[in-house]
């Protein structure tokens, strides 16, 4: 079975400060990892993915994530947060032998204050 | 690119009504589409996976006779909530994956449908 843990229900940062949203995972086989963002009453928007290659992945809106195989983590980061980054963030994983099944974490609400 | 359109965005109806939700991939062909349900302040729960031209695969605990899924073309999947009751009220989200490029392509999500059953 595969699983994703987002240990923080909410992350608060001041505008202009760096932000990190944590994600750890468990899969059999190699992981395909994704980050999505959800704004109120909207679906999920794709931010970035890790499939293979460089451990540091750059995505939309200045976000990046670092794949750490030994720690089974895929934390989302941004050097300088914007108020408009405030939203709900989901980490997701699919094992390369898991068919179509994409498993989501519980979500982390990011609050960026001016 | 990779836009998924979901319609309607909000439905309010009486108990016993059947409600159809459409999910369309606008600029790509989606051999696989997914239907999720999201409760307030919770993550997404996969309800079913639909493959074009074949029967949907339902997750454990999801009533296939209650939630009818049809994926008749490479760009359209529909979810029909039959004889809806208040406990079916939820936020339903569809997603689709581009058929080209393999299984490591991300899923692209519609904007969701908020279903409220009175």
């Amino acid at each position: 079975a595969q699983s994703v843990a987002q240990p923080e229900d909410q992350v608060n940062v001041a505008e202009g400060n760096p932000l990190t949203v944590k994600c750890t995972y468990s899969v059999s086989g190699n992981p395909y990892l994704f980050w999505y963002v959800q704004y109120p009453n909207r679906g999920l928007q794709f931010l970035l993915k890790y499939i293979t290659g460089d451990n540091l992945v750059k995505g939309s809106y200045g976000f990046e994530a670092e794949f750490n195989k030994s720690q089974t983590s895929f934390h989302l980061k941004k050097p300088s947060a914007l108020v408009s980054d405030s939203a709900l963030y989901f980490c997701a994983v699919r094992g390369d032998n898991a068919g179509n099944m994409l498993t989501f974490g519980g979500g982390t609400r990011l609050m960026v204050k001016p | 690119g990779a836009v998924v359109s979901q319609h309607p965005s909000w439905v309010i109806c009486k108990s016993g009504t059947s409600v159809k939700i459409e999910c369309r991939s606008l600029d790509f062909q989606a051999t696989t589409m997914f239907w999720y349900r999201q409760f307030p302040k919770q993550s997404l729960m996969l309800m079913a996976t639909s493959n074009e031209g074949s029967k949907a695969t339902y997750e454990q605990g999801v009533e296939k006779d209650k939630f009818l899924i049809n994926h008749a073309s490479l760009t359209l999947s529909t979810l029909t909530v039959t004889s809806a009751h208040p406990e079916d009220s939820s936020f339903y989200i569809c997603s689709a994956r581009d058929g080209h490029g393999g299984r490591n392509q991300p899923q692209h999500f519609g904007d969701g449908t908020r279903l409220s059953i009175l």
Side-chain angles (χ1 to χ4, degrees):
Chain A
Q2 54 190 36
S3 64
V4 178
Q6 292 180 242
E8 303 152 315
D9 290 338
Q10 182 160 320
V11 170
N12 298 310
V13 297
E15 187 175 31
N17 283 0
L19 69 87
T20 298
V21 183
K22 296 180 180 178
C23 170
T24 58
Y25 66 89
S26 174
V27 291
S28 58
N30 295 312
Y32 297 157
L33 292 154
F34 305 85
W35 274 102
Y36 290 87
V37 60
Q38 184 180 31
Y39 295 97
N41 295 311
R42 301 291 298 274
L44 276 65
Q45 294 180 30
F46 169 72
L47 281 179
L48 51 80
K49 67 178 180 179
Y50 171 83
I51 304 300
T52 186
D54 290 340
N55 289 341
L56 185 63
V57 179
K58 294 187 182 297
S60 306
Y61 313 119
F63 284 93
E64 58 188 30
E66 186 167 11
F67 170 64
N68 187 315
K69 187 174 182 178
S70 63
Q71 297 184 4
T72 61
S73 67
F74 190 56
H75 301 330
L76 181 70
K77 300 180 180 182
K78 187 173 182 179
S80 178
L82 300 173
V83 173
S84 57
D85 293 329
S86 299
L88 189 57
Y89 290 81
F90 289 99
C91 179
V93 69
R94 181 173 70 233
D96 63 355
N97 59 0
N100 290 311
M101 182 70 167
L102 187 65
T103 299
F104 287 87
T108 298
R109 185 164 300 282
L110 174 65
M111 298 291 289
V112 181
K113 298 184 177 179
Chain B
V3 177
V4 174
S5 173
Q6 188 172 340
H7 178 82
S9 58
W10 200 308
V11 180
I12 302 174
C13 58
K14 293 181 179 179
S15 184
T17 306
S18 292
V19 178
K20 179 184 282 188
I21 303 170
E22 294 188 347
C23 180
R24 295 180 184 272
S25 57
L26 297 186
D27 49 3
F28 65 98
Q29 292 184 330
T31 52
T32 305
M33 289 186 169
F34 306 87
W35 288 96
Y36 295 86
R37 186 171 178 177
Q38 186 180 30
F39 292 99
K41 299 184 179 180
Q42 294 191 26
S43 188
L44 281 72
M45 180 191 78
L46 179 65
M47 298 175 65
T49 302
S50 72
N51 295 296
E52 185 266 337
S54 63
K55 291 183 178 180
T57 302
Y58 290 82
E59 296 301 306
Q60 191 173 5
V62 178
E63 300 176 59
K64 62 180 181 181
D65 295 331
K66 175 75 169 179
F67 300 99
L68 301 179
I69 291 172
N70 184 284
H71 191 163
S73 78
L74 286 171
T75 60
L76 174 64
S77 176
T78 61
L79 167 67
T80 301
V81 184
T82 61
S83 186
H85 289 92
E87 60 267 26
D88 299 322
S89 299
S90 192
F91 193 54
Y92 293 87
I93 307 176
C94 74
S95 72
R97 194 170 65 211
D98 193 330
H100 299 94
R103 292 172 49 247
N104 62 5
Q105 293 300 308
Q107 293 180 22
H108 300 282
F109 288 79
D111 275 345
T113 297
R114 184 160 300 286
L115 177 62
S116 298
I117 308 298
L118 305 177

